[in-house]
Amino acid sequence: MADQNNKNERFEQGMKTRRSVLGDAHVDRAQTVTTGFDQPFQQLITEGAWGTVWSGNQWTKRERSMVTIALLAALGQDEELAMHVRATVNTGATEADIREALMHVAIYAGVPAANHAFKIAKLALASMKADSSLDKTGDGEETK
C-alpha cells in the first residue's frame, strides 16, 4: 500500500513539475491525445522524468534545463530539443545558457550535432520572441 501511495505522490509531483516547466497548455494538449495505448508511457515519464528527476532538489530547474538541452542536442532529438528550448521561459535558463550548453555539445558530441541544434534553438527562440511580441500588443494568445 505504501508503494501505491508513493507512486500517486510521485505522479502528482510529476504533473506539478511538468506543468511548471512545460506550461499548462502543453501538458493539456499531451493529455488530450493520450490513449489507452500510450497512457502507461505517459505515467512512466510523469513519475520518472518529472516526479523524480526534474523534481529533485540537487539542481535548479535552470541547471536541469541546460543539461536536458545538451543531451537532447547530442542525441539529435529535434522536437524534444525545441520543446525544452521553449520551456526555458519557465526554467530561468537564458539564451546565453542555451548557447553554452550547445557549445559543450560541439566539443563532447560533435560539431554536426551542435550545428544542427543551434539551428533548432534559433528557430525556437525566434518563435518565442514573435509570440511574446504578439502577446504584448494583444494580438496573440497567452504563450505558456
Side-chain angles (χ1 to χ4, degrees):
M1 186 72 171
D3 187 45
Q4 185 62 33
N5 287 339
N6 193 20
K7 280 188 177 183
N8 290 336
E9 290 171 19
R10 192 170 35 229
F11 183 86
E12 293 303 319
Q13 179 59 52
M15 285 303 286
K16 180 180 174 187
T17 301
R18 188 177 183 186
R19 287 181 180 284
S20 76
V21 172
L22 300 178
D24 289 331
H26 176 87
V27 176
D28 290 344
R29 277 191 306 273
Q31 287 188 309
T32 299
V33 298
T34 298
T35 66
F37 177 72
D38 65 339
Q39 188 283 326
F41 174 71
Q42 289 296 320
Q43 183 167 347
L44 172 70
I45 62 173
T46 300
E47 291 175 355
W50 299 107
T52 301
V53 174
W54 272 87
S55 293
N57 58 14
Q58 294 299 310
W59 282 354
T60 65
K61 284 188 176 89
R62 176 183 164 265
E63 292 166 326
R64 290 175 198 286
S65 190
M66 291 183 295
V67 169
T68 300
I69 286 168
L71 288 166
L72 292 170
L75 293 169
Q77 298 298 314
D78 299 351
E79 289 181 32
E80 292 280 321
L81 173 60
M83 177 182 73
H84 278 278
V85 168
R86 289 188 300 271
T88 60
V89 71
N90 298 321
T91 66
T94 65
E95 284 188 36
D97 292 332
I98 295 167
R99 181 179 53 245
E100 288 303 310
L102 297 181
M103 296 292 280
H104 270 69
V105 170
I107 299 303
Y108 291 100
V111 170
N115 187 41
H116 187 66
F118 268 104
K119 176 183 170 187
I120 301 298
K122 283 170 47 176
L123 289 171
L125 291 166
S127 174
M128 290 166 61
K129 286 178 183 173
D131 289 346
S132 177
S133 67
L134 286 177
D135 289 342
K136 289 178 184 172
T137 64
D139 293 338
E141 295 181 22
E142 184 177 341
T143 57
K144 190 168 181 188

